[in-house]
Amino acid sequence: MTDISEKCIVLKVNDYRDDDRLAKVLTAESGMVTVLLRGVKKAKAKLKPFAQEFSVFDTRLVSNRGAFLTPIEPLLIQDGFSLCTDLKVFTAASIAAEATVAALGDDEPHPHVFLEMLRLLDTVADGNAYYKAAVYILRLLSMTGFHRDYASFDDPHSPVQLLGHAQKYGYDTTVDEDLSRRALKFICREFERNFDIGLKSSGSIDLYA
């Protein structure tokens, strides 16, 4: 039997059976886990906010058998609905979430990635969302063993120069939006080469330029 107390970030949600959903959840101490959210498709389901991508919550996760964990009396810290109303913000957060699921194995602790995802969710709606996602994926690559140094430019004019700027200044800077869009596409291609997996969410980057 599994019985753990965890801080959780919902990265991906899929339908499961008639009224349930399965959530791919990044936890602070237990890594990536799959959580069964029973009855969340019903109109008045109490767990509905926990079946939203980018929601953050505290809970006990319990499993008597099988691979799925069930939340017990979860406490919502931050709902994900606000990040789904702006298409650029939603696209940026979705790319980051998909990359995280692709990069991390199940049941392996990744506390640094958990904290980095929290930083992204706290900042992605404040300013240039594509730039924030590019910073996150740069750091995700570094934390998973694929670090590459880019030359830093205070006034970048190319996607590669912007990535160097991002490595130096992180989330807290103002940069050109179109250049950020191209830099995010570039770092997504780098991610795909390193992990040999395509990021479906990245196909939406140019739709909301």
Side-chain angles (χ1 to χ4, degrees):
M1 176 178 176
T2 301
D3 189 337
I4 55 177
S5 295
E6 278 288 4
K7 289 181 171 59
C8 304
I9 304 172
V10 179
L11 299 182
K12 182 179 180 181
V13 179
N14 291 312
D15 288 338
Y16 182 71
R17 297 176 178 166
D18 291 338
D19 297 316
D20 307 336
R21 286 195 168 102
L22 289 176
K24 204 71 172 176
V25 171
L26 179 62
T27 67
E29 300 295 337
S30 303
M32 198 81 66
V33 298
T34 302
V35 174
L36 175 60
L37 300 163
R38 298 182 187 277
V40 293
K41 296 182 189 177
K42 297 178 181 178
K44 297 182 179 180
K46 293 182 179 179
L47 289 179
K48 195 175 290 290
F50 303 92
Q52 175 63 56
E53 285 92 346
F54 322 127
S55 291
V56 182
F57 59 93
D58 267 325
T59 191
R60 280 178 60 210
L61 294 172
V62 176
S63 175
N64 290 318
R65 61 183 184 276
F68 304 149
L69 298 170
T70 301
I72 305 296
E73 298 182 355
L75 174 64
L76 191 65
I77 298 172
Q78 176 180 317
D79 72 63
F81 292 105
S82 61
L83 300 185
C84 301
T85 56
D86 182 292
L87 290 175
K88 283 186 180 180
V89 171
F90 177 74
T91 297
S94 295
I95 292 168
E98 184 181 353
T100 305
V101 172
L104 305 184
D106 287 351
D107 303 322
E108 298 176 7
H110 297 280
H112 299 303
V113 177
F114 181 88
L115 291 174
E116 198 64 42
M117 176 58 73
L118 282 181
R119 291 189 190 101
L120 175 69
L121 297 183
D122 285 341
T123 64
V124 69
D126 182 18
N128 189 334
Y130 289 168
Y131 172 74
K132 305 291 177 63
V135 173
Y136 175 83
I137 293 178
L138 271 172
R139 294 182 175 179
L140 177 64
L141 282 168
S142 181
M143 287 184 286
T144 49
F146 297 100
H147 181 77
R148 173 184 170 187
D149 281 320
Y150 295 89
S152 176
F153 290 82
D154 288 342
D155 186 21
H157 291 92
S158 73
V160 174
Q161 291 178 359
L162 183 59
L163 293 175
H165 183 89
Q167 284 181 326
K168 181 176 181 180
Y169 293 103
Y171 300 107
D172 300 322
T173 187
T174 302
V175 291
D176 179 76
E177 286 199 3
D178 182 63
L179 188 56
S180 297
R181 176 182 59 82
R182 291 188 285 134
L184 179 56
K185 290 176 67 177
F186 183 94
I187 199 61
C188 283
R189 289 194 295 270
E190 288 290 290
F191 181 93
E192 291 169 347
R193 277 194 287 268
N194 286 322
F195 282 94
D196 194 27
I197 187 170
L199 296 176
K200 294 180 181 178
S201 300
S202 66
S204 300
I205 293 172
D206 289 329
L207 296 179
Y208 312 115

